[in-house]
Amino acid sequence: MAALSTTWLYQDRGLGSMVSTGHVMRGKFPVQLLQGNARRCCSGSFPVRQCKVGVNYFPKRSPLRTCIKCQKGDKDEDDDALDHVLVDQPPYHSYMDSTSGQMEPASGARASIPGRDYWPEGTADRVRAANAPAPTGESAAPPSFGKTPGSRRKKNKAAVAASETSEMSDIFDDAVEAELVNEGLEDSKDLPSEFVVYQTEPQEEELTGYALDKKLGVPHPFIDPEVKKPIEQPLTSEELWWNWRKPEKEQWSRWQRRRPDVETVFLKAMAETGQVKLYGDHPTLTETSLYRARRHLYKDERLQAESERLKEVGPLAYYSEWVKAWKRDTSREAVQKHFEDTGEDENTQLIEMFTYQTDREYRIMMGTDTRIRRDPLAMRMREDQIKEIWGGDPVYPTINYIQDPDEVIDFRGPDFHEPTPNMLSYLKERGKIISREELDNILAQEKTEQIETTDIDEAMAQAVDIGENDDEGEGSDAESSEEGEKITRNWSVLKSTPELRKTKEKPKKNGMSLDEAIDDSENITDFILDFDEDE
Amino acid sequence: MGSSVVFQQCLISSLHYQQPNHQFGYGGATRASAAALEATTPASSSPASFPLLNPPAEPQDSPASQLELADPDFYRIGYVRNVRAYGVEFREGPDGFGVYASKDVEPLRRARVIMEIPLEVMLTISQKLPWMFFPDIIPLGHPIFDIINSTNPETDWDLRLACLLLYAFDRDDNFWQLYGDFLPSVEETTSLLLATEEDLSELQDQNLASKMREQRKRALEFWEKNWHSGVPLKIRRLAPDSERFIWAVSMAQSRCINLQVRIGALVQNANMFIPYADMLNHSFHPNCFFHWRFKDRMLEVMINAGQRIRKGDEMTINYMSRQNDILMQSYGFSSPVNPWDVIPFSGNAQIHLDSFLSVFNISGLPQEYYHNRRLSNDGDSFVDGAVIAAARTLPTWSDGDIPPIPSAERKAVKELQDECQQMLAEFPTTSVQDQEILDSMLEARKTHEVVVKYRLHKKLLIEKVIQALDIYQERILF
């Protein structure tokens, strides 16, 4: 009613404004209000009497319907149906607000629906298509689905039987061109009866039970329970006919095998604990995907089983799983007996038990966050299962690296009490060291090669300069051959320095060995043959 | 139909349209005069719109009032699949379906859409290789595809379409299974493919008869070749007898619409079976045309811009602007006022074109002759499509400003009239007799009726030409 009254105000104001200001506005404004209003009244969920009241409010509907047109042809004809929606007026007066959950009036701010000019492309077509009325009326004959074309025409229904026979005979006369045609006709008249007859009517069967659930989307098990066959004896993966068999032997490394993922391992562990029954020893892809879809349900099942076990067995027995060091009897009777004996109630006994728990066990029992319910299956997983999913310890990846922290390592070997061995003879035996004599022998062998090279040099030194350098002319030959002259552009400093040649030749001509030479020299610096020319 | 005088019937040009405000080249009698003339003759006039399957033209206000509405399921099966008809309704009469306006339409600058039909309900094959089907209902390995592949790309379009139609009847989810119930059945088709030898002999036109026989033979041969007894059941059940196949071919020939459509980026000429648009009948002065909207792949049937439509007017399309025998061959109907009709004159007689045109106030280019109403007095309703056909087919000469020589003109006219009389004499029956035969046969076969009408129309045309030449002779201004 409130909605109605506000709109009455609207209308009043609108009319009032039109009268008072007197400017010509598109007369649609009050008209659409009325029309919109009347429609809202009748189409909404208001009771009928309100609707009637609404109608009585606006007795002057028809004269107001004449619109004031600004120009001839301003309005398109097929906008008639669409123009009832005003540009600036919200199309409804109240709506169900999702925030508050109550009916709210629309007098709050709301973006107006833009007019036809602003509609995106194709909207006008779609609106027109949607506004087109659907055909009403009952059909006289059912469809024949392609069997008898023309069966639903009006004339045909009356005159089918009469004309049919005459038609047939005429057409038979017509086909004289080939005998085959006649035969074909005769054959084909018979053959249709041999053909499969199709259903023309859609099937009427109803779905019930599992099929209905499936169609409606109601939660249902994966397999129809009536059709489901129980797994009698789980076969191994080798025996299952639908299992892919991958050859393990041809792989040259175990790294090539397929990595198990969380779901597969979990599913296998569940099969081992007996929560789920698999068809083989390894879960197949189907089973894995089924598990994946219902994972949360299985976890809930497990958690529920745990809590039931807790209730059943009692806290002491339940938590003693995580306390390896507690060896005493934890059944309810034993606890009761202990209570009677010592007067310690259950909690105190629990506390005592927990004093035997190690830190590691505690961590496993609690997890990092006590607020998260750990999956009992995950907590009880075997070492190798954990390794498959979450990988091994990054610090101590293999068994070899695990060290006992309390171990005392003894580095003493079997030769612990032996004296210090002779390093020199040891190394000599190993061939790491040779004696001085051997070294000299080796060097002496190497030395003989040196003498051969100096002969060549002497020969080269005695060679006459042919005249490679043309710039200086022939004067250079004379210059270079003279001793004690400045060296200009010679190919060898050694060769052109007579001092050097002299000093080198002296000890060579004596024929001393290296040892004698070393003994002969006052200083090692004698062997440095880099003299200045000024000397 | 009561008995009526033939000549008066010729005079009635019941072309149901209004002269538009601006001359668009539509000539012919006004509605008022047509109604007045019709009031004088008791019989129903020869209809100007030549439907695939004729509704009789109404002496009352609207041609639609005597017809009853079609089965509501007809539109409903399309409505469900996004076919829309705006302001038109489908009516059915003894001669078949027609589309009639359900409300008045003001003449506007814009063409108005009356029907829109999406691509999904059509059956389409492109005209050229590679043959593409929209919608693609033929599965890859189906033997019907091989049959379609074996057809000649240039000439066998109707056989392909027939195969496609038959296949569509077989597919369970296809719209044509439902729509097929509204197609004319074997008994109701006017197509000459399904006519008997008797009918064909009554055509009194050897060319046309032989052409039809040839067509029928071709269809039959195709059926025999591809539907022999060894063929798989999938194919066999599509057309278990040759009659069904020939019916499908006749449907293809008469109801196929050739359009150039753009689908996505591909522009192609396609032969299309379009469900509701093929119920539109034919007129030489149509008020609708087809438009392909490629955005959502819909065919729009639109009213010509500037056309005023009254409630109950028939919506018509120009199928083809050709002479009566081509119309008869393809569609199975003919028109006495076909402005494109051809009479084969032999001989050298020629009349002056310009004076002939001016006598009858026919203006416009040769392709678009129309009766210019403004020049003539309002009472004159002699000029109709037949006279325009005469203007086109009579041997004429026109040489700039050279005036016609009266004596030569008269001689030529005389010769032409003689020739026409000769042609009329060659026919076994006269038009009067034909009319009587038409009136007398009640429960005749459609094909027979149509055949008799065809020859009647031919004779009427020739008689009209003779009359026109008479008037021409009288009215030559010298």
Side-chain angles (χ1 to χ4, degrees), chain B residues 303-321:
Chain B
I303 299 180
N304 283 327
Q307 187 93 328
R308 165 170 285 128
I309 311 278
R310 294 266 164 247
K311 178 172 171 177
D313 271 358
E314 178 158 21
M315 301 287 118
T316 53
I317 279 274
N318 188 347
Y319 292 173
M320 48 165 61
S321 302

Side-chain angles (χ1 to χ4, degrees), chain A residues 174, chain B residues 191-206 208-214 216 445 447-448 451 455:
Chain A
D174 210 8
Chain B
S191 173
L192 289 180
L193 271 182
L194 292 163
T196 59
E197 268 306 315
E198 184 196 319
D199 294 336
L200 288 181
S201 61
E202 288 210 25
L203 259 182
Q204 294 174 5
D205 181 351
Q206 281 314 306
L208 185 56
S210 61
K211 264 195 260 178
M212 290 321 302
R213 279 191 208 106
E214 200 188 290
R216 194 188 154 85
R445 273 194 312 275
T447 44
H448 191 215
V451 153
R455 68 189 198 214

Side-chain angles (χ1 to χ4, degrees), chain B residues 145-157:
Chain B
F145 187 71
D146 301 320
I147 294 178
I148 290 178
N149 251 343
S150 66
T151 55
N152 185 333
E154 268 105 56
T155 53
D156 289 346
W157 57 271

